[in-house]
Amino acid sequence: MPEMIENRTLDELRIGESAEMVRVLAQEDIELFAVMSGDVNPAHLDAAYADGTPFHHVIAHGMWGGALISAVLGTRLPGPGTIYTDQSLHFRRPVAIGDSITVRVSVAQIDLESGHVTLDCQCRNQHGQVVIEGQAEVLAPRQKVSRAVTALPMVRLHNPGARFRALVDQARALPPLPTAVVHPCDALSLTGALQAEAAGLIAPFWVGPSAKILATAVEAGVTLDAARIIDAPHSHAAAEAAVALVHEGRAKALMKGKLHTDELLEAVLDRAHGLRTERRLSHVFALDVPDHERMLFITDAAINIAPDLPALADIVQNALDLALALGIEVPRAALLSAVETVTAKLPSTLLAASICKMHDRGQITGGLVDGPLAFDNAISPEAVAAKGIVSDVAGRADILVAPNLESGNMIAKQLIHLANAEAAGVALGARVPIMLTSRSDSAAARLASAALARLLAAAAEPVEAS
């Protein structure tokens, strides 16, 4: 049976009759009220500011309590059909996150002829202290109303870019990373790199045709330090010159400008003059997904098309290294497939099982690794419980390892375009991290890519003896 809501008509009301409800204030209540009302007073939303107020902590909007009084009047006493005509409120004490507020309204006066009813209103906290009190005047309903409670939409709050901002703040504590920005010959790639410089994440070298770079700067309305321009006649030569800067020790990272990814990677992977290591080059997307409790990392969705076992082992190791560099103490990597059982009919399950055994034997180090796991069982504790899967990774994965580029790319793009996820990408496995930005990347994503590279580079730096 659906929950019902029923009123008390004017004829049914009695002096002294009362109704109440209890609500516990949560952070989400404050944020939702701010979104709804537009009241962004920092006393309600900024903990650092609130610490300097007389209360020394974030407090609820005063009218949050007023809204609770309205809820009791409109749903319980008198209930549906009630029309507000007047309300007085006196705010006696602040309401803090975690406070349990009991809202009570009592009938004080009834005018049967006009239909006006006066009700005493009071909100008390869990200590019995009055936080709000006052009187409401309403027109009470004259006809009986009994209806099913309307189903409310689910509201999920997401602070866009919050996780990326935290990532940038983490990286900003380190010195700027000397970075070769390869062929920054359009306003988007140039200004993206300048934003990363302004944020203290990179110290850029501008590598490409000097005339084009300077013309782009004029078009974008910015001024560049000519001493940091490394002239190269075209994009292919710019990629080679950027790689040379790394060999010379002047650059510690690469950032893609206006050139094709494969053109940049061709120079990086050149066997004679590139930046190869014993590790396979791979790409990791870092995604801030609304309504998901942690940042997700997806690999490889951009470089390795159909990795074999050695390549997949490097892909997993690269992703674990990134997560560790970001400060995730025990990153959890889930090797994805369509099922959770190992079967010869699905080669991806055989690869996943082999990777897990390699991790068990210390051939892959850091964090926890499990698979094969279907996507839902990698990220959803409810799905894991329903299937009875016993795993330290299932339902709590930080890293999703796709069996091939197509599936990884589709997962990442679906999260970006259907779940409104923010995505930042970085390639690793070369001598230095590579920021593979896209024209569609937001400013926040470009900064996050620079932050990923900065933290990776810091993790690879030798520790100086004290």
Side-chain angles (χ1 to χ4, degrees):
M1 289 289 294
E3 183 182 355
M4 302 299 292
I5 185 172
E6 186 172 283
N7 66 1
R8 295 279 291 166
T9 66
L10 180 65
D11 292 336
E12 293 173 328
L13 290 173
R14 298 292 181 265
I15 301 294
E17 185 175 359
S18 65
E20 65 180 39
M21 65 180 291
V22 179
R23 285 288 298 271
V24 177
L25 178 68
Q27 177 68 38
E28 292 79 8
D29 294 317
I30 294 179
E31 293 172 353
L32 188 58
F33 196 92
V35 171
M36 178 274 296
S37 67
D39 184 350
V40 292
N41 183 339
H44 309 307
L45 301 167
D46 186 333
Y49 172 86
D51 185 56
T53 67
F55 309 116
H56 303 296
H57 57 72
V58 164
I59 61 173
H61 300 78
M63 292 310 297
W64 177 78
L68 298 186
I69 292 173
S70 176
V72 178
L73 293 171
T75 64
R76 304 189 183 187
L77 187 71
T82 299
I83 299 174
Y84 243 133
T85 59
D86 197 16
Q87 176 77 65
S88 67
L89 293 174
H90 305 282
F91 301 95
R92 305 303 187 193
R93 286 178 176 81
V95 178
I97 294 170
D99 281 354
S100 177
I101 304 301
T102 299
V103 186
R104 183 181 180 87
V105 303
S106 304
V107 178
Q109 298 177 30
I110 302 173
D111 187 329
L112 292 175
E113 184 176 349
S114 67
H116 283 83
V117 176
T118 302
L119 300 102
D120 293 327
C121 309
Q122 197 172 77
C123 300
R124 291 180 179 269
N125 62 22
Q126 65 272 25
H127 306 297
Q129 299 168 320
V130 175
V131 295
I132 302 175
E133 60 184 354
Q135 277 196 330
E137 186 176 291
V138 303
L139 280 172
R142 294 180 181 271
Q143 294 182 337
K144 197 69 176 173
V145 176
S146 181
R147 299 181 66 84
V149 174
T150 301
L152 297 177
M154 182 179 293
V155 178
R156 292 172 173 169
L157 294 176
H158 175 66
N159 188 353
R163 289 192 177 116
F164 281 177
R165 287 193 294 273
L167 198 63
V168 170
D169 289 342
Q170 183 182 352
R172 190 181 280 135
L174 299 165
L177 182 65
T179 299
V181 184
V182 186
H183 205 255
C185 294
D186 68 337
L188 195 61
S189 59
L190 184 72
T191 55
L194 285 169
Q195 288 169 346
E197 181 185 27
L201 300 176
I202 68 170
F205 292 98
W206 312 102
V207 187
S210 296
K212 279 189 178 182
I213 293 173
L214 291 171
T216 302
V218 171
E219 179 187 343
V222 297
T223 302
L224 300 182
D225 179 0
R228 298 188 70 84
I229 297 176
I230 309 299
D231 187 47
H234 45 69
S235 57
H236 185 79
E240 293 176 343
V243 167
L245 283 177
V246 175
H247 283 293
E248 294 166 13
R250 298 171 67 190
K252 303 295 183 182
L254 302 180
M255 177 182 283
K256 175 178 170 288
K258 191 185 178 185
L259 76 168
H260 293 295
T261 298
D262 55 359
E263 192 173 7
L264 175 58
L265 295 186
E266 182 181 350
V268 170
L269 296 174
D270 182 86
R271 292 189 178 278
H273 306 290
L275 303 175
R276 285 176 175 267
T277 67
E278 74 284 354
R279 192 83 63 79
R280 180 88 173 196
L281 191 72
S282 65
H283 181 273
V284 179
F285 271 123
L287 293 110
D288 182 1
V289 185
D291 202 37
H292 192 66
E293 63 181 0
R294 60 174 64 86
M295 192 175 289
L296 275 180
F297 301 90
I298 297 178
T299 190
D300 181 342
I303 294 177
N304 293 281
I305 297 174
D308 57 11
L309 183 59
L312 191 60
D314 283 349
I315 289 169
V316 173
Q317 187 66 70
N318 286 342
L320 289 169
D321 289 349
L322 173 61
L324 290 166
L326 301 187
I328 301 174
E329 292 185 7
V330 185
R332 295 176 170 86
L335 291 123
L336 299 182
S337 185
V339 296
E340 294 73 45
T341 53
V342 180
T343 170
K345 295 179 181 179
L346 283 174
S348 60
T349 67
L350 300 177
L351 284 173
S354 298
I355 292 294
C356 291
K357 182 53 66 176
M358 291 176 72
H359 184 265
D360 291 344
R361 296 287 171 86
Q363 293 171 267
I364 298 171
T365 59
L368 300 171
V369 178
D370 198 9
L373 289 168
F375 181 87
D376 57 339
N377 295 315
I379 65 168
S380 169
E382 292 78 15
V384 171
K387 286 204 170 183
I389 298 172
V390 178
S391 167
D392 291 328
V393 173
R396 297 182 290 166
D398 302 293
I399 302 163
L400 304 178
V401 183
N404 51 51
L405 184 145
E406 292 101 319
S407 58
N409 194 274
M410 284 187 278
I411 292 169
K413 296 293 176 62
Q414 285 167 356
L415 290 172
I416 292 167
H417 294 286
L418 292 180
N420 295 319
E422 285 271 10
V426 65
L428 53 166
R431 285 180 55 179
V432 297
I434 306 167
M435 294 160 253
L436 295 179
T437 54
S438 165
R439 290 187 62 84
S440 61
D441 284 348
S442 66
R446 289 172 180 270
L447 285 179
S449 294
L452 292 172
R454 183 64 195 97
L455 293 167
L456 269 169
E461 291 168 359
V463 178
E464 295 182 5
S466 58

